[in-house]
Amino acid sequence: MKSILRGAILAVALTGAGLGSVIAQKAPDNTPRTSIALEHGSHQLGNRTDLMMESWRNYGLGQFIHWGLYAIPGGHWEGKYYGGAAEWIRSWKDMPNEAYDKLYKEFDPQNFDPKAWAKQAKSMGAKYMIITTKHHDGFCLWPSEYTEYDVTNSPYGKDIIGPLVEAYDAEGIDVYLYFSVMDWNHPGYRSKLETEEDREAYESFKEFTRNQLLELLGLYPTTKGLWFDGTWDAAWKEQAAFADKLETEMREKIPGLIIGSRFRPDDYGNRHFDSNGDLMGDYEQGWERKLPETFEDTKGNDWDCVMTVPENQWGYHSDWRGHVKTSFELIEMLVKSVSLNGNFVMNFGPDGQGSIRQEETQLAAEIGDWMNVNHEAIYGCGYLDWKKQDWGYYTKNRETGKIYMVVFNMPLNGALKVKIPSKVSLGKVSPLENPKTNLEVEEIHRDEYLIHFENQKSSNSPVVIVIEPSFSEKQEGAEYQKAKT
Ligand code: FHN
């Protein structure tokens, strides 16, 4: 699949003028391929297999926290409602920039309780947390040596990130730092570089960005990775060499550090995937607020999906309008992600005082209740190449080989169809909640079965059935003949 895509991208790329020389390389499966020579493209073909990345792959569920000055207006300014994402309110014509830029003088979240946040995340079942150290507005939630625009100059006056890292570390939840390269506060920041003056100013911005990133990793050495954002500007897309060098420096600072595909552009300004179609970074970060449909869509890469609870609100908005996802929908997205080898990260937007809103607390509790019973189908699990059925999703534990059927649409007759590859037998089949019960399995066709769930107690929440497959030769059963047509 990867090579088909590579071929297609290469064909498109080669028709463009002025691209680099073409060289022959070998793909991971040792088949020769032709590529454009890139100095700053992907540095690794295939997924990382080290222990830190293995842990990342096995998280299943994460928590995203968007918190910053935008939580103070909460999507309103002078009584007017802002319909965009709350953290973008500064860019709204009805809110003057100067008014936004003074909000730090009001940042004093007296309800901020990092231990309570971490405990809530733990009981929801999150294995990792991503916190906005600095969003596009440029306000830093840590004491930064390189700007005045940080927590220490707010009435709150002290570090937010350090206590959060400590609290989440204490709960055994890995911490990742979100960092927006785009920075509306820095005088050197430009979205495009049109003049010599722009270029000079941008050099100071690059230095500032480097300093801040190395500072963060120095201050919080238990950080497991960086989650980048705001890297789509034309100015940043020209920074392949700078970003590549900085990525190396960051990786040297914390060995094993995990960085997704949103950080650096390649030599031609391509992001996420380089000009040869190869993933840049340790996992694909392109599934924001959407999910792949099939395993082929993921190209076999590691990936995460970050998801808002309403349609598109990351930071705190006091007035959520439109559809708000239920825990059932979020659990389905989580299971679907895991079934396609991805992690699912649910967003939280605490308010200006540091309280997590009631709706998110409720959802966290409901997801936690489900995870409490069913986490075995999530942690350490990933894709299984059996034909997907309408009842839900399969996940498979990478170590034990156990297979989980997570059922979201229970058929009215309680009979679940399973089509399996030949040479596999279903083995023991039981409800996760009730492992001593053996469910009746009926063979209905060659390699096709019904698992009868009709005598089990009905439940409103997604049910998990465990299959412990065996790979011995199957007993020959009934003769099945193909229809002659
Ligand atoms: O513009 C941001 C947005 O505010 C939010 O932070 C999301 C989270 O993935 N990222 C950007 C849009 O891609």
Side-chain angles (χ1 to χ4, degrees), residues 366-405:
E366 289 171 10
I367 295 171
D369 285 347
W370 188 84
M371 285 293 282
N372 209 10
V373 178
N374 299 297
H375 57 82
E376 202 186 301
I378 301 295
Y379 301 144
C381 291
Y383 174 66
L384 172 71
D385 60 352
W386 289 8
K387 186 173 167 31
K388 187 187 172 318
Q389 305 289 330
D390 292 340
W391 43 253
Y393 307 90
Y394 292 109
T395 66
K396 178 182 171 188
N397 186 288
R398 297 189 175 97
E399 251 179 43
T400 64
K402 277 193 193 174
I403 291 167
Y404 302 90
M405 296 167 58

Side-chain angles (χ1 to χ4, degrees), residues 172-461:
I173 300 174
D174 287 348
V175 177
Y176 289 71
L177 305 180
Y178 167 108
F179 184 92
S180 169
V181 169
M182 177 161 91
D183 185 322
W184 298 328
N185 184 263
H186 193 274
Y189 165 74
R190 300 284 185 279
S191 60
K192 46 183 186 264
L193 307 178
E194 291 176 321
T195 63
E196 213 27 63
E197 187 276 327
D198 284 343
R199 287 184 187 281
E200 259 170 47
Y202 203 71
E203 285 307 306
S204 71
F205 171 67
K206 281 159 60 182
E207 194 48 32
F208 164 74
T209 301
R210 174 180 174 274
N211 284 336
Q212 284 209 318
L213 284 167
L214 297 177
E215 177 180 54
L216 277 169
L217 297 178
L219 285 172
Y220 313 113
T222 58
T223 299
K224 300 292 182 295
L226 289 160
W227 203 98
F228 283 101
D229 204 358
T231 53
W232 49 76
D233 286 331
W236 184 253
K237 288 203 266 178
E238 290 182 31
Q239 310 307 325
F242 170 78
D244 201 0
K245 185 159 176 260
L246 177 53
E247 189 177 296
T248 305
E249 284 184 281
M250 293 189 291
R251 290 185 190 280
E252 278 165 8
K253 194 121 186 159
I254 298 188
L257 194 73
I258 294 173
I259 299 177
S261 64
R262 277 198 199 194
F263 181 54
R264 59 189 181 89
D266 82 351
D267 312 45
Y268 298 102
N270 284 315
R271 299 170 58 245
H272 295 284
F273 293 92
D274 68 17
S275 305
N276 291 316
D278 295 321
L279 183 69
M280 288 191 295
D282 301 321
Y283 63 98
E284 192 193 343
Q285 263 180 297
W287 297 103
E288 174 172 320
R289 292 195 290 131
K290 65 178 187 294
L291 287 170
E293 272 312 310
T294 64
F295 184 66
E296 285 65 38
D297 292 342
T298 72
K299 304 175 196 82
N301 291 316
D302 286 314
W303 58 277
D304 75 356
C305 163
V306 293
M307 185 57 71
T308 49
V309 173
E311 203 275 312
N312 181 25
Q313 293 294 343
W314 298 95
Y316 175 75
H317 196 304
S318 63
D319 184 3
W320 275 355
R321 295 189 184 173
H323 179 63
V324 174
K325 295 175 189 75
T326 62
S327 54
F328 188 94
E329 287 169 272
L330 292 163
I331 293 169
E332 178 164 6
M333 290 175 180
L334 159 68
V335 175
K336 185 172 181 183
S337 301
V338 171
S339 79
L340 296 173
N341 269 352
N343 285 327
F344 182 75
V345 188
M346 173 179 156
N347 183 68
F348 288 68
D351 71 16
Q353 282 303 312
S355 299
I356 294 191
R357 68 193 302 147
Q358 191 273 329
E359 295 94 325
E360 289 167 355
T361 295
Q362 174 76 23
L363 287 169
E366 289 171 10
I367 295 171
D369 285 347
W370 188 84
M371 285 293 282
N372 209 10
V373 178
N374 299 297
H375 57 82
E376 202 186 301
I378 301 295
Y379 301 144
C381 291
Y383 174 66
L384 172 71
D385 60 352
W386 289 8
K387 186 173 167 31
K388 187 187 172 318
Q389 305 289 330
D390 292 340
W391 43 253
Y393 307 90
Y394 292 109
T395 66
K396 178 182 171 188
N397 186 288
R398 297 189 175 97
E399 251 179 43
T400 64
K402 277 193 193 174
I403 291 167
Y404 302 90
M405 296 167 58
V406 190
V407 182
F408 289 86
N409 313 304
M410 181 62 81
L412 287 174
N413 67 356
L416 302 155
K417 190 179 280 184
V418 177
K419 279 187 177 180
I420 62 177
S422 46
K423 297 223 168 75
V424 180
S425 299
L426 284 181
K428 181 171 159 26
V429 180
S430 48
L432 180 59
E433 258 193 287
N434 201 355
K436 291 208 174 112
T437 303
N438 284 324
L439 293 172
E440 186 199 331
V441 177
E442 181 191 358
E443 183 174 353
I444 54 168
H445 194 65
R446 193 190 302 284
D447 302 326
E448 201 170 326
Y449 299 84
L450 285 180
I451 292 177
H452 289 282
F453 201 77
E454 47 267 49
N455 297 326
Q456 303 302 307
K457 87 174 162 52
S458 66
S459 156
N460 289 332
S461 64

